[in-house]
Amino acid sequence: MLRSGCLWLLRRRPPAAGVAVKNFGLRKVASGVSTPGSTSPRALNIFDRDLKRKQKNWAARQPEPMKFDYLREEVGSRIADRVYDITRNFSLALDVGCGRGYIAQHLNKETVGKFFQVDIAENALKNILEMEIPTVSVIADEEFLPFRENTFDLVVSSLSLHWVNDLPRALEQIHYVLKPDGVFIGAMFGGDTLYELRCSLQLAETEREGGFSPHVSPFTAVNDLGHLLGRAGFNTLTVDTDEIQVNYPGMFELMEDLQEMYRNEDGSVPATYQIYYMIGWKYHDSQARPAERGSATVSFGDLGKINKLMSQEKKSQ
């Protein structure tokens, strides 16, 4: 099994055995990590990215980081399944906000030739999971990708784009680094995530304080997600939703994971995570195009008669 070669702050270290050193199109920037407090001029600075980096580094330093990785592992495997659904090989792939490599560990070298893994937290990259695909680790912010245009055949991202301040910019940069006919496959938390927690907090705070304030970060609506992908330049879009419910033995286990509390009748504590999965392609002349408006030879009204005609044919037989 190959451990990842490392690229810290865009300065190359010697790669692991079997990993060739090539120029994979890094842009000439001092660092892919944003400076504390920096953000896109058009972004509303909801998240403190420097604090988020510290949180992720702290989590990665814990003695058993895999103890709390079950959700990321599950979503990572489902993104990998979507990669396998595309019947092609990807020479060069990028994981934006990779964490400890939750997607790449489920893929094989027959599907992906080499994986660039990008994360804002250096400790996560130091504790990257073992996998058979040759990898290169890059410390960079999801909002400031340090790669040149048309570099990657595949870009994936699992649950990290939720915490960027400028999601349109992040999607535009992903589109920028994709090659024509390249594909982006990602996952984000949906608007119904942790609704049990949010309802319980609102009820408790309303009862005690006479009102409530938000305690959970905002989520992207599914219809907005499709619009943002289209605005970033992606076409042939697919957006679907899924729900993962985790039942905890009790409140202390849930508080240890999330600092949350809400019980089932059997005493367990549920936490529901709604996941939006998205797929978007970068345009290429070889891709199928929609027919011109007005070129159809059959109307929707005629399609409605098909069942009636089929039933009549069965009766005649």
Side-chain angles (χ1 to χ4, degrees), residues 211-270:
F212 64 88
S213 57
H215 295 274
V216 179
S217 57
F219 297 94
T220 303
V222 65
N223 54 330
D224 291 337
L225 191 57
H227 173 71
L228 290 173
L229 287 167
R231 197 173 80 174
F234 292 99
N235 58 28
T236 319
L237 305 178
T238 303
V239 178
D240 62 283
T241 66
D242 198 1
E243 287 189 353
I244 300 173
Q245 186 177 85
V246 180
N247 292 310
Y248 297 85
M251 70 175 183
F252 294 108
E253 287 80 4
L254 179 54
M255 290 173 67
E256 184 180 7
D257 283 13
L258 305 168
Q259 291 83 48
E260 292 145 18
M261 181 174 62
Y262 188 91
R263 286 192 174 276
N264 277 332
E265 292 181 0
D266 62 1
S268 65
V269 181

Side-chain angles (χ1 to χ4, degrees), residues 55-68:
Q55 291 172 340
K56 294 185 72 174
N57 275 323
W58 175 86
R61 286 197 304 267
Q62 299 312 297
E64 298 179 285
M66 67 292 297
K67 182 178 179 181
F68 306 101

Side-chain angles (χ1 to χ4, degrees), residues 172-187:
E172 288 168 4
Q173 290 207 26
I174 290 172
H175 183 269
Y176 177 84
V177 302
L178 270 175
K179 293 179 181 178
D181 201 33
V183 61
F184 167 57
I185 304 177

Side-chain angles (χ1 to χ4, degrees), residues 98-119:
C98 65
R100 298 176 60 242
Y102 305 106
I103 301 175
Q105 65 168 329
H106 297 289
L107 297 171
N108 56 47
K109 58 186 178 182
E110 285 74 29
T111 303
V112 176
K114 176 166 286 190
F115 231 121
F116 269 63
Q117 303 205 96
V118 168
D119 201 273

